[in-house]
Amino acid sequence: MSESHYRDQQVKLGKSFGAVADHYGRARPSYPIDCIDPATVKGKKVVEIAAGTGALTKRLSSLDPALLIPTDLSVQMLQDLQRSKLKVEPFDMVATKAEDLSFPDGMFDTIFAAQAAHWFDIDRSTREFSRILGSQGKLVLIWNIRDGSVPWVSDFDRVVDSYQNRIVIARIVEEITGTKRFSSFSRTKTPFVHRLDPELARSLIMSFSPVSTLDSVDRERVVEAALGILMDNLDSEGKISIPYVANVYTSTVL
């Protein structure tokens, strides 16, 4: 696949989330609080890029930021986030994209982007990130990745990811470092388990952009195949326990 075709596909998939905001908010895993360094949040001015329905926003709000502004390209996602109960209310919510941020220079101490940086234009977004960060400002990127070392999880991944290229996190991190706007990234990994009631399993699958953007016939076929794998692996309490690893990459603006 050519680079231009890959980017076009990413743009298409990246615009799909508004239509599945309800599925996303109800069924996607949150982020383990232990994966977040409190020093990047407590008393800091924080902006979250592509906050979605607020899974990470809720965690950040519990760590006492001085300011917390969630942003997202999708108005539908932000509307879902507005209905959430946060310990610290965000100062504002801004519908905007990573490549065109309307904040003043040096406004923030930390930028967070969870499950999102693979949708960004790296050159344009990092130009904006470096502009709105103050001296020694941090860029924190987080991805929850299912643990494919478990055979049935690997089978599930093959079904739901069969219509897209896999996210190559190492490539994204390398591209960001290559802009010379940010230092080399440190990395931490935090294993956790996402437990779902069976009735939410379909919502989880539908929240995946490569599934939700299929035509109705292909979508139903993929959903049923993926759902079958999950239902064949209920735990002792009749729930679905999916093992994940939260991968956290942290860099400093140069």
Side-chain angles (χ1 to χ4, degrees), residues 52-188:
T53 57
L56 180 63
T57 315
K58 298 180 182 83
R59 297 301 197 203
L60 298 177
S61 73
S62 72
L63 295 174
D64 299 321
L67 175 68
L68 175 58
I69 299 182
T71 75
D72 200 276
L73 182 62
S74 168
V75 174
Q76 295 99 316
M77 287 282 197
L78 291 178
Q79 287 173 341
D80 196 274
L81 172 54
Q82 283 178 323
R83 293 189 286 269
S84 300
K85 293 181 179 179
L86 303 178
K87 182 176 179 181
V88 176
E89 287 297 324
F91 176 75
D92 202 356
M93 297 184 186
V94 179
T96 188
K97 58 184 179 179
E99 297 83 1
D100 187 21
L101 302 172
S102 58
F103 303 115
D105 294 359
M107 179 174 176
F108 296 101
D109 301 304
T110 312
I111 294 171
F112 280 87
Q115 220 71 21
H118 50 285
W119 304 119
F120 303 161
D121 179 295
I122 297 301
D123 182 62
R124 291 171 59 203
S125 63
T126 56
R127 191 185 308 276
E128 285 289 84
F129 296 167
S130 63
R131 181 184 64 77
I132 67 173
L133 281 174
S135 176
Q136 297 301 302
K138 302 294 184 183
L139 173 62
V140 184
L141 307 178
I142 306 177
W143 282 275
N144 282 338
I145 303 297
R146 290 180 293 278
D147 185 356
S149 68
V150 178
W152 70 264
V153 175
S154 179
D155 292 341
F156 177 79
D157 280 348
R158 278 195 293 271
V159 172
V160 298
D161 289 343
S162 61
Y163 289 85
Q164 73 165 357
N165 290 340
R166 285 188 171 278
I167 298 166
V168 183
I169 296 175
R171 174 186 173 185
I172 296 165
V173 169
E174 183 179 353
E175 285 186 20
I176 293 174
T177 305
T179 67
K180 308 299 184 183
R181 297 178 184 126
F182 289 90
S183 68
S184 297
F185 285 82
S186 62
R187 180 188 182 188
T188 62

